[in-house]
Amino acid sequence: MPMKLRLSVCVCALSLCAPLAAQEQGEDESEAKPEIVVTGRGLDPALSTGIYATTTLERETIVASPSGRIEDVLRGVAGFQQFRRSDSRSSNPSAQGVTLRALGGNATSRALVLLDGVPIADPFFGYIPLSAIAPETLGQIRVTRGGGSGPFGAGALAGTIELDSADPSATGTFLGSAAINNREETEASGVLSQRLGSGFAVASGRWDRGQGFFTTPDSQRVPASARAGFDSWNAALRGVAPLTGQIELQARVAAFRDNRTLRFEGADSFSEGQEASLRIVGRGDWQFDALAYVQARDFGNVVISSTRFTPVLDQRRTPSTGVGGKFELRPPVAEGHDLRIGIDYRRADGELQEEAISAFSGNITERRRAGGATANLGIFIEDDWQIGPLIINGGLRADRTSITDGFYRAVNPAGMLVSEIIAPDRDDWALNWRAGALFYATRRLDLRAAAYTGLRLPTLNELYRPFVVFPVTTQANAALENERLQGFEVGLDWQPVNEVVFSVTAFDNEVKDAIANVTIAPNLRQRQNLPAIEARGIEASVAAKFGSVSLDGSLAWTDAEVRGQGSSLALDGNRPSQTPEFSATLTLGWRPAAGWQLATTLRHVSAQFEDDLESDVLPAATTLDAFIAAPLAGKLSVVLRGENLTGEDIVTRNQGGSIDLGVPRTIWLGLRYGF
């Protein structure tokens, strides 16, 4: 709910003076100044939001995750998928790509993730810094599956995930929590909110650390095997203030650092970032949203030989920068119309800095640098038109994309050139569109249909950075083309009774020139543009609440296929790697009394393939999680959380029989105040 702050002015020392003054001056001066409403959010969702397959997660759901991680919250949305099944405590940060509708296949995000309107994907790799997102700071999450690029921005190929920060009406003056689990891992967080005149400020911080668990199965462990240790923190300061009665200023600065160890002693990685954004939102007759942001990121990673267990690669740094902004205008037009006109821009640049190391001598054998810049300028116009029970949506978007200053250079320890690639600069214009309709068939039944196109640039990582996951080498490809999506969908939302809502969507999406890691020789892959990845499927959800008992469920079934030809002909008809055919989540909740909250979540993910040739399988996994909060005194509660209570073996990687596992049975006990 928006926070309302009332500003009143007394024209006399006492309110009783006003009538007397009015009689003496012949006028009424007792009128109060207009009410100032400060929300801390962007403009209200457009009318067309209901046309596309959209799921909204409220704060009550966001802060009750059994793992306390944002990716666990999002897994409850039909069609949401990470590149790997690992969470952000036990995976390499560069593998944290997120997508929707089984349009995965590599570690780059094909869904656009926004925090208060700002794209948060890493400028170099395209992964999402999941450990930098504290669920307790969020007020709402809106996930739009499909829908094309539209007014969201380029990169919304598979859909858009919009994260909105919470305001003081949701957090109160102070929120605090601390917890420890059965492996003696800890987490602690705090959110401090303060009203400042007609605005407010929110400061937040979180720290997670632990020894982690062994991702390597017992049968494959060696003396050098290590737990997936983690140590991460994030902090943010956000301020919102009114400039006028209808215009507000929003500012945010944030920083994070995440350190991890994976599989072997010494296989350490880090990711870190700093960012700042400024946003001005106008809610008058001429509504507008003006946003500017800057991001600085870095990533480092040490690769350990799986045979000699010594360093073979030191990816010391990968500094990158993202800058951009957006301006959207909603002018008052004819009644029943909601017109949106705007422009957005994003530029990403970065450089890989790494050294190859001999596993035998420990000496540096090669020094490598790689990097470049990408940019996207988009201009869009979109109109929603309501005609009685019918809403019609149509929009056009033109994108100018550019890839510049690309290079890869390797030299030996003496500085002599070993190999070099200087990629030619290139740019292009692309036109995207989307259209749809929503029909309120009855008071309880909505019917919808939509068609759309979308665009995603290749990342600097895909263009210029080769990598090795022993024994497989994956080459970069500086000639990669932009991915293009076209799709359509039909769906319905049905509320048979007040307490129950069903939603079903059937979709058909195709990504042309889809970027994937394609096997071109034994133990050798290259990033290539596949002719297409096609995904057809069904998404469904149900939400029911009967008194203190609630039920929330979602499922996604997808028939996804690769279209191959030429060097990728052997992949034709294969299922994209890391893509399950079926996934489902069911959560049963109970609030027996004020302050009490109990929930259990059953989740199933079907089998998927590790690689493009379908040679290695990740078996299906079914997990059971639980969350219990009980009041102790006042705003203080005790919280008990359980992850993977059945102890299921969740295989997250299978490369020729070399296996990594996901989170085992984990029990958390903690306290929280003010939630």
Side-chain angles (χ1 to χ4, degrees):
M1 296 291 293
M3 180 183 66
K4 295 186 177 181
L5 300 175
R6 190 173 298 275
L7 202 65
S8 59
V9 174
C10 220
V11 297
C12 294
L14 297 173
S15 60
L16 293 176
C17 295
L20 179 59
Q23 291 175 7
E24 293 178 350
Q25 300 177 15
E27 60 184 3
D28 185 1
E29 297 179 356
S30 62
E31 294 182 2
K33 289 187 177 180
E35 185 178 55
I36 296 177
V37 178
V38 177
T39 70
R41 295 187 179 181
L43 297 178
D44 292 337
L47 287 172
S48 58
T49 300
I51 293 175
Y52 301 94
T54 302
T55 298
T56 300
L57 302 176
E58 301 296 346
R59 181 169 175 81
E60 179 181 300
T61 300
I62 297 171
V63 299
S65 164
S67 71
R69 319 293 293 187
I70 189 64
E71 59 270 31
D72 193 33
V73 175
L74 291 169
R75 287 192 191 110
V77 177
F80 174 81
Q81 176 196 346
Q82 294 174 254
F83 175 65
R84 294 198 181 276
R85 296 172 175 178
S86 308
D87 66 16
S88 56
R89 295 165 294 192
S90 59
S91 66
N92 191 287
S94 64
Q96 289 178 178
V98 302
T99 190
L100 298 160
R101 291 195 162 164
L103 292 176
N106 69 29
T108 300
S109 294
R110 286 194 169 107
L112 177 64
V113 183
L114 306 172
L115 175 58
D116 296 325
V118 177
I120 61 174
D122 184 87
F124 189 93
F125 293 92
Y127 69 82
I128 306 302
L130 297 170
S131 62
I133 305 171
E136 56 272 16
T137 64
L138 301 179
Q140 188 181 81
I141 300 174
R142 186 166 55 251
V143 181
T144 303
R145 301 179 295 276
S149 295
F152 303 112
L157 198 76
T160 307
I161 301 173
E162 300 171 86
L163 312 174
D164 290 334
S165 293
D167 61 29
S169 66
T171 63
T173 302
F174 175 71
L175 297 180
S177 66
I180 187 169
N181 70 16
N182 54 303
R183 292 186 297 274
E184 299 182 359
E185 298 162 0
T186 59
E187 64 178 50
S189 70
V191 180
L192 180 65
S193 302
Q194 180 64 52
R195 290 181 172 86
L196 303 172
S198 297
F200 62 84
V202 179
S204 62
R206 177 165 173 151
W207 184 24
D208 298 84
R209 65 178 302 181
Q211 63 176 341
F213 56 89
F214 282 104
T215 60
T216 308
D218 290 343
S219 60
Q220 297 183 3
R221 290 180 198 167
V222 296
S225 294
R227 294 174 176 268
F230 60 95
D231 190 341
S232 65
W233 61 264
N234 64 74
L237 178 64
R238 184 169 184 260
V240 179
L243 299 180
T244 70
Q246 297 177 324
I247 300 175
E248 69 180 60
L249 174 69
Q250 305 170 12
R252 183 178 185 271
V253 293
F256 70 89
R257 171 89 182 194
D258 188 350
N259 298 291
R260 306 183 196 176
T261 299
L262 297 175
R263 198 171 175 84
F264 297 119
E265 293 287 349
D268 301 326
S269 68
F270 79 87
S271 61
E272 66 178 17
Q274 305 82 37
E275 53 196 60
S277 64
L278 196 65
R279 190 181 197 181
I280 302 176
V281 180
R283 307 182 194 278
D285 292 336
W286 289 76
Q287 298 184 56
F288 65 88
D289 189 342
L291 169 71
Y293 61 88
V294 61
Q295 301 162 327
R297 301 283 176 83
D298 202 356
F299 171 80
N301 187 49
V302 176
V303 179
I304 300 296
S305 166
S306 60
T307 55
R308 298 187 63 84
F309 312 112
T310 58
V312 291
L313 182 69
D314 183 2
Q315 188 177 337
R316 295 188 299 106
R317 296 190 61 206
T318 316
S320 62
T321 304
V323 296
K326 178 180 179 179
F327 180 79
E328 178 181 322
L329 180 66
R330 299 186 185 181
V333 291
E335 185 177 353
H337 286 267
D338 190 358
L339 182 65
R340 309 170 70 183
I341 304 170
I343 184 171
D344 56 63
Y345 176 76
R346 179 169 172 84
R347 184 181 189 274
D349 66 79
E351 179 179 304
L352 165 74
Q353 303 172 12
E354 68 180 22
E355 283 90 29
I357 303 170
S358 169
F360 298 92
S361 66
N363 296 326
I364 294 175
T365 60
E366 195 171 89
R367 291 186 170 90
R368 303 166 185 157
R369 300 289 184 273
T374 62
N376 187 100
L377 173 67
I379 305 170
F380 63 85
I381 181 170
E382 185 157 310
D383 184 44
D384 301 337
W385 184 16
Q386 185 165 11
I387 313 170
L390 179 66
I391 297 177
I392 301 173
N393 164 255
L396 291 174
R397 178 183 174 89
D399 287 281
R400 183 187 184 275
T401 61
S402 64
I403 301 174
T404 57
D405 302 326
F407 75 97
Y408 172 82
R409 184 179 300 112
V411 299
N412 64 19
M416 297 182 62
L417 189 66
V418 176
S419 63
E420 184 177 43
I421 296 173
I422 304 296
D425 293 349
R426 49 197 168 109
D427 58 71
D428 191 18
W429 278 97
L431 183 67
N432 289 295
W433 57 270
R434 69 179 195 161
L438 172 66
F439 180 60
Y440 298 109
T442 71
R443 187 170 65 90
R444 296 188 178 277
L445 177 64
D446 304 339
L447 305 176
R448 46 187 167 80
Y452 39 81
T453 64
L455 170 76
R456 184 184 77 85
L457 279 76
T459 63
L460 299 171
N461 178 52
E462 293 168 316
L463 290 163
Y464 308 121
R465 173 185 170 258
F467 68 95
V468 178
V469 179
F470 186 84
V472 178
T473 298
T474 301
Q475 300 174 340
N477 185 350
L480 290 172
E481 299 290 337
N482 295 339
E483 294 183 334
R484 299 294 304 274
L485 173 134
Q486 60 184 27
F488 65 88
E489 61 190 57
V490 294
L492 63 86
D493 302 296
W494 180 41
Q495 189 175 10
V497 294
N498 292 339
E499 296 81 8
V500 181
V501 178
F502 292 99
S503 179
V504 179
T505 303
F507 65 90
D508 189 326
N509 287 183
E510 179 183 52
V511 180
K512 296 182 177 180
D513 292 322
I515 299 171
N517 301 330
V518 177
T519 300
I520 57 178
N523 294 328
L524 181 62
R525 298 174 186 162
Q526 184 186 44
R527 296 188 180 97
Q528 293 184 4
N529 289 110
L530 298 172
I533 291 178
E534 296 180 358
R536 299 168 294 273
I538 300 289
E539 298 160 343
S541 64
V542 59
K545 189 169 185 179
F546 300 94
S548 62
V549 178
S550 63
L551 183 146
D552 294 277
S554 68
L555 66 85
W557 172 85
T558 311
D559 177 21
E561 291 184 341
V562 171
R563 293 291 173 234
Q565 62 184 28
S567 61
S568 62
L569 182 61
L571 307 182
D572 189 60
N574 282 7
R575 187 170 188 81
S577 60
Q578 304 293 336
T579 302
E581 182 177 14
F582 177 80
S583 62
T585 299
L586 183 65
T587 298
L588 182 64
W590 182 35
R591 287 179 169 268
W596 284 83
Q597 184 175 3
L598 296 86
T600 58
T601 299
L602 184 67
R603 181 172 288 123
H604 175 80
V605 179
S606 67
Q608 57 197 63
F609 294 106
E610 170 74 31
D611 61 330
D612 59 330
L613 296 179
E614 300 186 345
S615 56
D616 296 317
V617 177
L618 307 179
T622 302
T623 58
L624 180 66
D625 301 334
F627 178 93
I628 302 174
L632 289 179
K635 294 183 178 181
L636 183 65
S637 299
V638 61
V639 177
L640 183 64
R641 304 178 346 223
E643 302 178 65
N644 191 11
L645 293 175
T646 57
E648 179 86 342
D649 285 338
I650 307 169
V651 179
T652 62
R653 186 187 67 91
N654 178 10
Q655 193 157 296
S658 177
I659 288 174
D660 281 343
L661 299 175
V663 62
R665 182 186 294 110
T666 304
I667 307 297
W668 291 88
L669 178 63
L671 297 173
R672 66 182 190 180
Y673 178 85
F675 280 77

